[in-house]
Amino acid sequence: MQKQIILIRHAESIGNAGQRTTNPAGNHLTENGRSQAAIFADSINEAPDLIAWSSYPRTKETARPLAEKFPDTPAEEWQDIQEFTYLSPKKCFNTTAEERRPMVVSYWNNMDPEYRDGDGAESFADMIERARKLIKKARERSERKIMIFTHGQFMEAIRIILKHPDAKAPELMRLFNDNERGKTIKNCETLEIA
């Protein structure tokens, strides 16, 4: 069997639903998101060799139905595959996506891959490095079929890296922004990287 590495974007979270959030790392699934996760698990007919998720609750909650469906499959929380947090969580505390919009526009107008917005934020270049590390880690694992529950912007970064493996951070940032920064990746959508 050929190696398969499948990334899955988490199901609908409270942030995706436009609700007020206090911490980008702490968003949980909505009721609709829990239904999406169950439907996704029902659609998988063959057990993977490994199920992994990020440290964010919404990815673990999305992976849970699949892990319960295949209880003999090893399941792990992987570090450094979380969403791209480019705005300072402190500045964004208790806000909605609409309230953060001016900060988002300012960040992307700046187009500086090394810029960090404050405590808890990372640069675009940092996120690209994390994405490259995930690709390498997943490809080096011995399991043949790996399903990794992660995040839309992180998946978009991986997609762009795979298409432009030699591009540097400034060019990748432009391409990432041109591709709507992962906003076109739907909840529970998949991306195969091997």
Side-chain angles (χ1 to χ4, degrees):
M1 177 183 166
Q2 187 176 8
K3 189 169 185 98
Q4 274 189 300
I5 302 166
I6 302 167
L7 305 181
I8 306 100
R9 183 182 177 206
H10 62 80
E12 183 187 72
S13 69
I14 62 168
N16 298 146
Q19 296 179 28
R20 192 167 296 281
T21 62
T22 57
N23 179 348
N27 293 342
H28 291 271
L29 296 184
T30 62
E31 190 63 41
N32 182 50
R34 287 189 285 280
S35 176
Q36 289 173 340
I39 290 167
F40 178 81
D42 285 345
S43 75
I44 305 300
N45 297 318
E46 182 182 315
D49 298 312
L50 176 67
I51 299 169
W53 54 80
S54 81
S55 60
Y56 287 18
R58 58 191 178 265
T59 59
K60 185 173 185 175
E61 292 168 3
T62 305
R64 183 175 295 130
L66 186 66
E68 290 172 351
K69 181 175 181 176
F70 300 112
D72 294 332
T73 297
E76 301 175 355
E77 182 174 293
W78 284 9
Q79 298 303 310
D80 296 329
I81 64 168
Q82 73 273 6
E83 186 58 285
F84 177 34
T85 302
Y86 58 89
L87 296 177
S88 166
K90 188 174 183 177
K91 291 180 187 176
C92 298
F93 181 79
N94 201 30
T95 60
T96 65
E98 190 58 34
E99 291 167 342
R100 292 187 297 274
R101 185 164 180 66
M103 291 183 278
V104 169
V105 169
S106 176
Y107 178 89
W108 290 103
N109 283 341
N110 190 24
M111 290 300 285
D112 179 355
E114 301 297 333
Y115 173 75
R116 285 187 186 84
D117 190 51
D119 288 344
E122 68 180 329
S123 72
F124 182 82
D126 291 337
M127 188 264 299
I128 289 296
E129 183 61 26
R130 285 194 297 111
R132 290 186 193 283
K133 286 179 180 177
L134 171 65
I135 294 167
K136 184 176 188 300
K137 174 181 180 175
R139 286 178 172 166
E140 289 175 350
R141 293 288 298 230
S142 62
E143 295 89 356
R144 302 305 301 158
K145 183 174 184 179
I146 303 173
M147 300 189 85
I148 304 167
F149 291 82
T150 188
H151 305 267
Q153 291 185 89
F154 192 64
M155 288 172 65
E156 185 61 38
I158 289 169
R159 182 180 0 226
I160 288 172
I161 289 167
L162 294 173
K163 286 182 181 177
H164 307 276
D166 298 322
K168 303 294 184 217
E171 176 66 6
L172 291 171
M173 189 174 197
R174 185 191 63 73
L175 291 165
F176 183 83
N177 192 42
D178 290 350
N179 269 355
E180 299 186 45
R181 306 183 301 271
K183 291 181 181 179
T184 59
I185 298 175
K186 297 181 179 14
N187 296 114
C188 294
E189 187 174 329
T190 62
L191 171 65
E192 192 162 341
I193 65 171

